[in-house]
Amino acid sequence: RSFEKLLEFLVKRKGESGIIYCLSRASTETLANDLAEEGIEALPYHAGMDREQRTRHQDMFLRDEVKIMVATIAFGMGIDKSNVRFVVHMDLPKNIESYYQETGRAGRDGLPSEALLFYSYSDVIKLKKFVAIEGNTEQTAISIKKLEQMAAFGGLTSCRRKFLLNYFDEDTSPHCGNCDVCLSRTDTIDGTMLAQKVLSAIVRLRERFGAGYVIDFLRGSNSAKIQEPHKQMRTFGVGADLSKEQWANVIRDLVDQGYLVKSDGLYPVLKLTERSDAVLNGSEPVMITKSKERVELQEHAIEYEVALLQQLKHARRELAMLENVPPYIILADSSLLELATYLPHNKDEFQKISGFGDVKIEKYGKHFWNVVAAYCTKHGLGSRIHLKEVRRPRNGRPERETETKQQSYELFMKGFSVHQIAELRNLSTDTIEGHLAFYLQRGKIAITQLMETPRVNAIMNAIEKTPSSSMTPITELLGDTFTYGQIRMVRSHLEFLQSGAREPLIVKR
């Protein structure tokens, strides 16, 4: 069933670049072959392949010679491909941190991108065997707790974005308007009687069993695992009229609403809460989810010339082959989309297109201008650059210090490098540099603790020459040897100096 759903998803996104993550090496090979049989070109990638083959597959993906990579988590750590449009997880990740990092590989060029997760609680049961660490009960408990948090994300009936940001100590509104939960209209029914059946069963079972056993008890299962004394109870089989899936949904709703909790551990059991008594004695009604209906939103997407976009992608591919680099290095998809939308007619108008700084206009401007000009002449179209909105600076709430930032800062002050911290915390170097930029802006770290002075000066000079707040023109001036994270850190250092402070408050380590 999940393969059929995946095919539906991919067919609608034909020609787009994406990563599909699988739990095992064997499943990456099988899925890549199955997709190929359906006419969808995809390549596998996992640590069991020889290095030459892995490198070849990775290069083909980077150069857009193949659009889809089916991979284990071994793929992606060193990938900086900006035009990944979707990330799919065929199996449940082991923790929220991994899921967040892996889905973050989509949409780095700023264009809308999607994340698809296939989830079943059976994944949790299967993964518990993998996360358990023999001889280390403390670490096993932590790993299982993280897995349960990931399972909670999979079973959410409230905004997924809010859950993720709250997990990382960030506040946000209760509805994002983008996740599947927020894009669904939920119908509810009075489920008080169903809730009472579940809670009563758990009481009679003395809060010693998990959801699977409770459901079998309610349905009057003949399974050998049901204990004989339990089969003699009056409530045995009182829920035979509902399927396992329906009872699982009821229990999930009760957990979400705080009428039940799952214990920690390798085999979690269902336990009552303070709110349970009010339901059992009939003083508090319970509403449960009946069905979900997809809400079709009115999208105000930018209209662009579809045929022109394809011509621009072809022109970019030609340049990429000449220079032996991935296409997105020449120009991002977002820049091509703007060209196909606003149809710039001269150099001044090209400068208003994201990604076209002086360097790229000089190097590639004529090549792309010829394509746009020929298309506009053929179809009698004029420039639409006047429709391009000027980006307004963000004026949201001030960035807050969070626990994850503190952990990175503390490790740095103990003498660990950015790369070492990233490895220790299983996060990307970009993320760690972002954490440290927070403390640079507040003067708790000196920029010279992170970079040599000539490198800092080079970035500062590039920032001064670029009035735009966009990173792209700065990276064009500096070249590939400077990372976004380094530029961000120098910017944070400059913001600290502009605040009126003269010297950072350096804590010796």
Side-chain angles (χ1 to χ4, degrees):
R1 183 68 181 148
S2 58
F3 182 68
E4 292 171 11
K5 290 279 189 183
L6 177 64
L7 284 180
E8 289 176 19
F9 179 84
L10 296 179
V11 166
K12 291 177 183 177
R13 291 152 187 83
K14 189 175 180 181
E16 294 183 352
S17 186
I19 304 171
I20 303 174
Y21 284 108
C22 297
L23 189 62
S24 69
R25 298 174 182 182
S27 57
T28 64
E29 300 270 3
T30 302
L31 182 56
N33 289 334
D34 289 346
L35 290 175
E37 288 179 6
E38 297 291 337
I40 297 173
E41 192 178 0
L43 289 176
Y45 184 105
H46 57 77
M49 298 163 61
D50 64 73
R51 181 177 295 181
E52 184 181 342
Q53 188 181 23
R54 285 204 313 270
T55 302
R56 184 170 65 255
H57 285 192
Q58 178 174 297
D59 287 345
M60 289 176 72
F61 180 65
L62 289 173
R63 295 176 189 279
D64 279 340
E65 292 172 15
V66 64
K67 293 294 184 181
I68 298 172
M69 190 67 77
V70 185
T72 59
I73 57 171
F75 180 76
M77 293 302 288
I79 296 298
D80 186 20
K81 182 175 167 64
S82 63
N83 65 335
V84 174
R85 290 276 71 82
F86 60 84
V87 170
V88 177
H89 284 87
M90 298 303 292
D91 302 287
L92 191 73
K94 295 177 183 177
N95 52 63
I96 296 288
E97 288 86 352
S98 296
Y99 176 76
Y100 191 75
Q101 185 175 31
E102 287 154 17
T103 54
R105 287 166 189 150
R108 292 184 176 181
D109 55 7
L111 292 181
S113 303
E114 295 174 281
L116 173 63
L117 169 66
F118 288 94
Y119 168 71
S120 166
Y121 197 78
S122 61
D123 294 341
V124 183
I125 299 168
K126 179 172 63 176
L127 281 169
K128 280 183 177 178
K129 300 171 185 176
F130 291 98
V131 300
I133 301 170
E134 190 175 350
N136 192 333
T137 54
E138 186 178 347
Q139 190 59 47
T140 296
I142 293 171
S143 297
I144 289 174
K145 183 178 181 180
K146 284 182 174 290
L147 178 59
E148 288 288 354
Q149 289 167 328
M150 189 66 227
F153 175 79
L156 279 178
T157 56
S158 56
C159 178
R160 296 191 194 278
R161 183 173 187 272
K162 177 175 172 57
F163 180 95
L164 287 173
L165 293 183
N166 287 171
Y167 180 86
F168 292 106
D169 297 324
E170 298 287 344
D171 289 328
T172 187
S173 62
H175 302 285
C176 70
N178 285 309
C179 71
D180 62 306
V181 177
C182 291
L183 289 175
S184 299
R185 185 182 292 112
T186 304
D187 290 334
T188 57
I189 58 171
D190 185 343
T192 307
M193 188 175 294
L194 296 176
Q196 287 173 334
K197 287 182 179 181
V198 172
L199 299 177
S200 177
I202 292 169
V203 169
R204 293 175 186 277
L205 295 172
R206 299 184 180 180
E207 301 177 89
R208 292 174 48 219
F209 296 90
Y213 192 95
V214 171
I215 291 170
D216 282 345
F217 175 84
L218 286 165
R219 298 186 72 246
S221 171
N222 292 320
S223 171
K225 71 178 181 181
I226 300 294
Q227 297 175 17
E228 256 335 291
H230 294 161
K231 293 180 181 179
Q232 309 308 316
M233 293 180 177
R234 282 189 306 162
T235 49
F236 179 71
V238 294
D241 54 328
L242 294 188
S243 67
K244 283 188 176 184
E245 185 178 356
Q246 288 172 314
W247 278 120
N249 288 337
V250 172
I251 290 173
R252 187 180 299 118
D253 268 12
L254 293 177
V255 171
D256 284 348
Q257 295 181 56
Y259 296 112
L260 284 176
V261 293
K262 287 182 179 179
S263 68
D264 295 330
L266 193 59
Y267 303 102
V269 300
L270 293 173
K271 293 185 175 293
L272 305 187
T273 69
E274 292 178 0
R275 299 186 65 188
S276 305
D277 286 343
V279 178
L280 284 168
N281 63 34
S283 62
E284 184 173 337
V286 178
M287 302 302 291
I288 63 170
T289 303
K290 178 185 177 185
S291 63
K292 286 185 176 182
E293 178 187 353
R294 182 77 175 182
V295 179
E296 296 297 331
L297 298 181
Q298 291 291 330
E299 293 188 8
H300 301 284
I302 300 172
E303 292 185 7
Y304 63 92
E305 299 294 323
V306 178
L308 175 57
L309 182 61
Q310 294 307 313
Q311 292 174 23
L312 290 167
K313 286 185 175 180
H314 179 73
R316 181 181 63 175
R317 194 178 305 116
E318 288 179 338
L319 287 171
M321 290 175 67
L322 284 172
E323 298 193 12
N324 196 29
V325 294
Y328 66 87
I329 295 294
I330 301 294
L331 210 61
D333 280 11
S334 54
S335 299
L336 297 186
L337 185 60
E338 286 192 20
L339 287 176
T341 302
Y342 301 113
L343 313 177
H345 274 46
N346 54 50
K347 184 176 179 180
D348 288 341
E349 291 185 353
F350 260 79
Q351 287 179 325
K352 295 178 182 178
I353 300 296
S354 301
F356 269 107
D358 290 337
V359 173
K360 289 210 171 174
I361 285 181
E362 186 67 32
K363 197 171 183 181
Y364 307 124
K366 187 176 180 181
H367 189 81
F368 288 106
W369 182 84
N370 287 339
V371 177
V372 175
Y375 184 89
C376 289
T377 300
K378 181 179 178 180
H379 297 278
L381 299 173
S383 170
R384 299 175 189 160
I385 202 72
H386 61 284
L387 298 175
K388 191 173 191 301
E389 294 180 5
V390 179
R391 282 189 183 178
R392 296 176 182 174
R394 293 182 182 177
N395 55 0
R397 289 168 294 188
E399 189 179 357
R400 297 187 303 112
E401 184 173 32
T402 61
E403 185 179 343
T404 188
K405 289 174 187 167
Q406 289 172 350
Q407 289 175 9
S408 296
Y409 173 69
E410 287 167 5
L411 286 170
F412 179 75
M413 299 313 294
K414 287 177 181 178
F416 291 94
S417 69
V418 169
H419 290 287
Q420 287 171 331
I421 298 170
E423 191 172 331
L424 280 169
R425 301 201 58 205
N426 194 27
L427 296 172
S428 69
T429 54
D430 280 347
T431 300
I432 304 302
E433 287 171 337
H435 292 169
L436 298 181
F438 175 85
Y439 295 99
L440 278 162
Q441 192 176 359
R442 286 149 185 77
K444 291 189 175 182
I445 302 174
I447 191 65
T448 49
Q449 290 177 277
L450 286 154
M451 278 180 274
E452 295 177 358
T453 302
R455 199 169 187 78
V456 174
N457 291 338
I459 296 174
M460 290 173 72
N461 289 334
I463 292 172
E464 287 173 11
K465 291 176 183 177
T466 311
S468 168
S469 61
S470 171
M471 288 279 224
T472 306
I474 301 170
T475 55
E476 287 176 4
L477 280 175
L478 291 169
D480 297 336
T481 56
F482 292 81
T483 69
Y484 275 86
Q486 289 170 341
I487 297 169
R488 182 180 175 185
M489 289 193 291
V490 172
R491 269 189 168 171
S492 296
H493 167 66
L494 288 173
E495 287 170 14
F496 171 73
L497 295 179
Q498 288 164 5
S499 69
R502 289 183 176 273
E503 293 291 337
L505 306 172
I506 305 172
V507 180
K508 298 250 183 205
R509 53 178 181 148

